[in-house]
Amino acid sequence: MAPNPSRTVISATSQALRRCACPAQPAAPRRLMQATRPLSSSSTARSPEASESATGQQQERPRWSYTPERMKGPGFSINPVKNPSRTIWHNNEDPAKLDAMYNRLLGSKGPDMLPDEIKWLAVTHKSFDQGRRGFNTRLAYFGRLILSLETTRHIMISPAPARDPPSPDEFGREPFQHPALVNIDKLQTRQPQDIVSKEKLTKLAIEVGLPEVVRWKPKMPENLEASGLTVVLNTSLFAIIGAISLQHGAEVAQKIVREKILRRLGA
């Protein structure tokens, strides 16, 4: 016997109405949420006054003068120190001493050309404090390109060195001469690294007192040259040029390179 469609529809409709008529029971979930809500708050939460005081202390201290608490390790190292005396090394923390170096390098307005954070960052090598306070690698890369470009430009605009006249051609031919071709051979006789070599830049850095303010950690404090002092001083000079370019623009940085570096190096 085939089922009656009308009865099936009526039965399904009645069941749906009965389900809708039953009252919902949201009381238990609500009670559960109310019971678990206090557990989400920590009993060790700081009061607003304590949070404000901690924030105020951090704001009073400049960023270059301390290592953030969350970046500190467990207090010990997994690498044993073979010679404990090599772990002792003191870096400059006096802003007046740093400003004096910028004064000797850039002139009377040198300490005011960069913000305090950038002034310290430009003289901070990545070996200092494991790089946790920032380091000058990126600034140095940018500054090295600026110094190389300005030195190349100086070579190109300088008078060409005297050359011996060409020997007479057996067929009576004369070489083609044009003013635009005068500068072609200049970079074959003189390269930028001949003017701004590592040794010359290191000598300039020592004259302005950069070794006394640069922040780094030598591997062998008893032998700074073998620890890479030359590279550290060159990197800091490049970083200062890069920071000035980012702060004041390419024109000011090029002027600093010409007047404060190339001129002192005898270019």
Side-chain angles (χ1 to χ4, degrees):
M1 181 176 178
N4 191 348
S6 60
R7 292 183 179 179
T8 304
V9 174
I10 293 173
S11 177
T13 305
S14 301
Q15 293 179 4
L17 291 175
R18 284 196 299 270
R19 291 177 181 177
C20 294
C22 293
Q25 299 179 359
R30 288 182 179 177
R31 286 195 297 268
L32 181 60
M33 291 175 61
Q34 293 176 358
T36 57
R37 185 174 300 169
L39 298 178
S40 62
S41 61
S42 175
S43 59
T44 60
R46 295 182 178 180
S47 62
E49 294 78 5
S51 301
E52 291 178 359
S53 61
T55 305
Q57 292 177 359
Q58 292 180 358
Q59 291 178 354
E60 290 177 359
R61 300 173 60 188
R63 174 65 180 84
W64 57 266
S65 63
Y66 70 98
T67 303
E69 295 295 332
R70 294 186 178 183
M71 297 186 68
K72 293 182 179 180
F76 60 89
S77 176
I78 61 175
N79 297 322
V81 180
K82 297 181 180 179
N83 190 353
S85 62
R86 290 183 173 179
T87 61
I88 302 174
W89 180 258
H90 300 284
N91 288 279
N92 174 54
E93 297 291 342
D94 186 7
K97 195 173 183 179
L98 180 67
D99 289 342
M101 186 278 300
Y102 278 101
N103 191 3
R104 289 188 292 266
L105 176 63
L106 304 176
S108 58
K109 297 182 180 180
D112 300 328
M113 295 189 68
L114 297 173
D116 290 340
E117 277 304 323
I118 305 302
K119 286 192 296 186
W120 286 98
L121 182 65
V123 298
T124 302
H125 189 256
K126 59 184 177 181
S127 60
F128 173 72
D129 198 18
Q130 305 296 327
R132 293 179 294 187
R133 303 191 199 180
F135 46 89
N136 57 8
T137 301
R138 294 184 179 181
L139 290 176
Y141 175 75
F142 186 39
R144 183 170 62 87
L145 295 180
I146 296 173
L147 182 60
S148 177
L149 175 62
E150 195 59 32
T151 307
T152 304
R153 183 180 301 173
H154 171 76
I155 294 175
M156 298 300 292
I157 65 177
S158 299
R163 301 179 62 180
D164 297 333
S167 57
D169 187 72
E170 57 179 343
F171 300 102
R173 296 173 297 184
E174 295 182 0
F176 177 75
Q177 301 290 338
H178 192 274
L181 302 177
V182 176
N183 295 327
I184 290 181
D185 297 333
K186 285 185 177 179
L187 292 176
Q188 292 184 355
T189 59
R190 200 178 189 188
Q191 293 289 326
Q193 55 265 28
D194 299 333
I195 300 177
V196 289
S197 61
K198 292 182 179 180
E199 293 75 15
K200 293 182 179 180
L201 290 177
T202 302
K203 184 179 179 180
L204 174 61
I206 294 175
E207 290 177 358
V208 300
L210 186 57
E212 286 76 20
V213 298
V214 66
R215 302 199 297 181
W216 69 306
K217 174 59 180 69
K219 182 178 180 181
M220 297 177 289
E222 70 277 4
N223 191 349
L224 298 181
E225 292 294 334
S227 299
L229 179 62
T230 300
V231 177
V232 172
L233 295 179
N234 280 258
T235 302
S236 298
L237 283 178
F238 295 153
I240 293 173
I241 298 173
I244 292 175
S245 180
L246 292 176
Q247 188 73 19
H248 299 282
E251 184 177 356
V252 176
Q254 292 170 1
K255 184 178 180 181
I256 290 295
V257 170
R258 290 193 301 266
E259 297 181 357
K260 304 301 182 181
I261 295 182
L262 295 181
R263 184 176 296 179
R264 291 184 178 180
L265 298 180

